[in-house]
Amino acid sequence: MFIAFLIWIIIIIFALILGTYLCYRIEKHGVKRWGATGSLFKYNPKSEE
Amino acid sequence: MIYLVILGLYAAFIVWTSIKSLKQAESMSDFTTGGHRMGLLLGIGTTTATWVSVASVMGVPGYLYSNGVSAIIGWVAGWFLATSLIPLVAYKIRRPKTPARTFPEYIHLRFEPFRKVSHLRTIVGLTMFVGYFLFVHLQVVGFGIVFSTITGIDYKFAIFAFLIFLLFTSIGGFWSVAATDTLNTSLIVIGVILGGASVLVAAGGWDSIVNTISTTTSPTNIGGEALAAGSMISPIGTFGLGALFAIFMSNAVGSIVSPHWVTRMLAPKNIKVAVLQIMGSVLVLTVIFIPLIIMGLGAKTLIPSLPEGQTTDYIIPVIIQQYTPPLVGALTLVALCAAAVSSANSMLLHCATSVYYDVYLNIFRNKKVTEKKFNMNLRIGMFLIAVIAVFSAITPPWFLAMGFTYVYGGFGAVFFAVVILGLYWKRMNRAAAYVSMLVGLATYVIAMIASATNPFLIALIASLIGVMAVVFLTKKPPVEAYEPYFETDISPSTEQVFTNVQRNEDKIVADGEEKMIKKDA
């Protein structure tokens, strides 16, 4: 039972790490239309305007 | 009585939201991808609601009840892995300044940008039609089970009530679907948490549940084969390693490249919102799945065996009705209905769009339709498909969760190379796209008919071997095919070709424009 839950938890952590890495890449590229707003997680809708 | 009141309130809210959203679906782009302007909160709401289907809220707890914790690896972990990898698709597919409006349109742009009529696109549209029809069919089955439990109406008649929900949630296109989805997500979260807590209390706590599933030998159905003691806490369960791996792979890899997820990644305002919406959805889904796991495993303590002939898909509605207070039960069962409605409306939209826009209008290039007529035809198509799906569900052939696994396996076998290699490998070309899709589809169908243990993996390997052979034997793709997905700034020739393809798609003209065309003629 422990193994089943462990696999699930590892995948959840992996999802958050991969998402963070991709947000970091978007910020690093600095391309505004991709969503680069100078903040890793915060999305600022005003930057689109 | 309270069950019917809560269900009636839910139905009224759906009708109100749908009619309100109807006004927002003005253009074709609005109808299919919400005009590529969806914000984060609505994105999390609609992604979560589409994700949580009857397979998640009824099928998976059913397998937890019959097979134990191994279902967590096969379905829950498989689907979560797919969700965690979907941002990789978003990261690339959302790059062009004017992204594709449908999944088949992406295939057209990436592999046949110089062709007016894309046969590849037609094949994709037809495959999607079949896959999404099956998905809608499964949602109808799940809804019918819940609705018949709530109302006491025979399942065969209960499924027809689904048409009312589908009619209203689908008429407004993407915005209607997204708006009702956000409501559905809230309902699902509240419903399953209350249901999970009630089952946990009724079963005597988590220790009692673990104790029961560790020692039980009660068969799933009365008169059936007794379970081996301890099999329900084994990570492999009664599936066997090969079968469990096959289920996990189909759910994990097949889901990533499923057209509805690819299209979902086209709807957000930009790539970052797409990635963040998936991360947010993973957290919400975790909150939803903890009570669902408690309900699935706790059911074994409360009802050791189901009556003969009743499938495990019924276990959640049955324990909710028997072991939770009426108000909690009503909210939880409406949450199950919401899961069916929120997935079915989205899948119905894909089903109708693929067959009308990507197959019919792609083949009959000279047809010009106004936006009004386009939206009307799409709505009529959606309703007809819904009617056929309801009739097909009178005698359901599959278990809910396994039905999803089969369709995801098929999508993975057909679309893996064109999505993942198409987005991450410049060398992936048109010939390889044809080979990957046709070989993947044929191998998957043959492997399924031959009852192979892992039809998805066999089909995927065959498809990838075909891709490798063809890619290096044929010419490189033109730069216009891949540049928008690999470069920030694209060359003028690529921009021209990209614009031409999307302009050629504009068979749908504004109402006033049609009058001008007639006048010119």
Side-chain angles (χ1 to χ4, degrees), chain A residues 1 27 33-34 39 43, chain B residues 95 233 269-270 272 488:
Chain A
M1 189 165 79
E27 289 303 333
R33 69 181 159 84
W34 292 1
S39 173
Y43 166 66
Chain B
R95 283 189 177 196
I233 54 162
K269 285 178 178 175
N270 55 49
K272 191 164 152 187
T488 311

Side-chain angles (χ1 to χ4, degrees), chain A residues 33 43 48, chain B residues 24 27-40 42 93-103 105-106 109 174-175 262-271 273-274 277 357 485 498 502 506:
Chain A
R33 69 181 159 84
Y43 166 66
E48 293 285 304
Chain B
Q24 291 194 39
S27 67
M28 188 267 159
S29 183
D30 277 338
F31 210 96
T32 56
T33 51
H36 312 290
R37 59 174 194 272
M38 184 177 280
L40 185 56
L42 202 59
I93 202 154
R94 195 58 187 73
R95 283 189 177 196
K97 279 180 187 168
T98 48
R101 289 164 289 192
T102 63
F103 177 73
E105 190 178 284
Y106 153 72
L109 286 163
F174 191 91
W175 283 107
V262 177
T263 311
R264 272 281 184 274
M265 295 305 106
L266 293 167
K269 285 178 178 175
N270 55 49
I271 303 170
V273 170
Q277 89 175 23
Y357 179 62
Y485 300 99
F498 216 74
Q502 294 199 319
D506 292 338

Side-chain angles (χ1 to χ4, degrees), chain B residues 264-505:
Chain B
R264 272 281 184 274
M265 295 305 106
L266 293 167
K269 285 178 178 175
N270 55 49
I271 303 170
K272 191 164 152 187
V273 170
V275 173
L276 288 174
Q277 89 175 23
I278 292 295
M279 289 170 76
S281 299
V282 165
L283 296 175
V284 180
L285 288 166
T286 307
V287 173
I288 291 172
F289 265 87
I290 291 169
L292 282 174
I293 290 169
I294 291 171
M295 282 195 270
L297 296 175
K300 197 69 183 172
T301 308
L302 300 171
I303 305 173
S305 300
L306 279 167
E308 202 177 339
Q310 193 169 46
T311 70
T312 52
D313 291 331
Y314 278 84
I315 189 66
I316 291 298
V318 168
I319 58 158
I320 291 300
Q321 229 185 11
Q322 289 184 14
Y323 290 96
T324 59
L327 184 62
V328 171
L331 282 170
T332 312
L333 288 180
V334 168
L336 303 190
C337 286
V341 171
S342 60
S343 297
N345 57 15
S346 168
M347 285 159 182
L348 199 56
L349 183 65
H350 288 292
C351 198
T353 311
S354 61
V355 77
Y356 179 57
Y357 179 62
D358 294 304
V359 177
Y360 178 75
L361 288 179
N362 181 41
I363 294 171
F364 298 100
R365 304 286 308 174
N366 297 327
K367 292 256 178 200
K368 284 262 183 191
V369 289
T370 62
E371 276 178 352
K372 201 175 170 186
K373 199 176 174 192
F374 174 84
N375 288 347
M376 183 52 70
N377 287 348
L378 209 50
R379 283 175 188 128
I380 293 168
M382 288 165 88
F383 190 66
L384 287 176
I385 294 164
V387 171
I388 299 167
V390 167
F391 275 100
S392 75
I394 289 174
T395 315
W398 300 331
F399 284 94
L400 296 173
M402 198 55 92
F404 261 66
T405 303
Y406 292 150
V407 180
Y408 276 137
F411 277 162
V414 179
F415 297 134
F416 182 84
V418 290
V419 175
I420 302 298
L421 298 184
L423 290 173
Y424 281 90
W425 193 27
K426 289 179 183 175
R427 196 69 171 76
M428 181 70 189
N429 62 11
R430 177 173 170 256
Y434 271 101
V435 168
S436 73
M437 286 173 52
L438 295 175
V439 169
L441 181 63
T443 314
Y444 187 71
V445 171
I446 292 166
M448 286 290 285
I449 293 168
S451 302
T453 311
N454 199 335
F456 164 68
L457 203 58
I458 295 168
L460 182 67
I461 290 168
S463 163
L464 291 178
I465 290 171
V467 167
M468 292 303 159
V470 171
V471 158
F472 293 111
L473 289 175
T474 52
K475 282 196 292 185
K476 286 180 182 175
V479 69
E480 289 83 357
Y482 61 78
E483 206 179 19
Y485 300 99
F486 289 85
E487 311 296 339
T488 311
D489 299 309
I490 57 172
S491 57
S493 67
T494 303
E495 196 163 349
Q496 188 60 51
V497 170
F498 216 74
T499 310
N500 286 347
V501 170
Q502 294 199 319
R503 265 196 199 145
N504 280 333
E505 301 308 327

Side-chain angles (χ1 to χ4, degrees), chain A residues 1-5 7-8 11-12 14-20 22-23 25-27 29 31-45 47-48, chain B residues 69 72-73 76-77 80-81 84-85 87-88 91 95-97 206 210 213 233 235 248 269-273 275-276 279 282-283 286 289-290 293 297 487-489:
Chain A
M1 189 165 79
F2 175 73
I3 295 171
F5 280 104
I7 290 171
W8 183 34
I11 288 170
I12 292 167
F14 171 69
L16 299 178
I17 292 171
L18 181 65
T20 306
L22 290 175
C23 287
R25 297 259 307 190
I26 291 162
E27 289 303 333
H29 279 295
V31 182
K32 277 210 166 184
R33 69 181 159 84
W34 292 1
T37 57
S39 173
L40 195 58
F41 292 118
K42 197 177 172 191
Y43 166 66
N44 179 12
S47 67
E48 293 285 304
Chain B
V69 295
I72 295 173
I73 297 178
V76 183
F80 268 73
L81 181 60
S84 69
L85 294 173
L88 291 174
Y91 187 62
R95 283 189 177 196
K97 279 180 187 168
W206 180 246
V210 173
I213 61 171
I233 54 162
F248 176 80
K269 285 178 178 175
N270 55 49
I271 303 170
K272 191 164 152 187
V273 170
V275 173
L276 288 174
M279 289 170 76
V282 165
L283 296 175
T286 307
F289 265 87
I290 291 169
I293 290 169
L297 296 175
E487 311 296 339
T488 311
D489 299 309

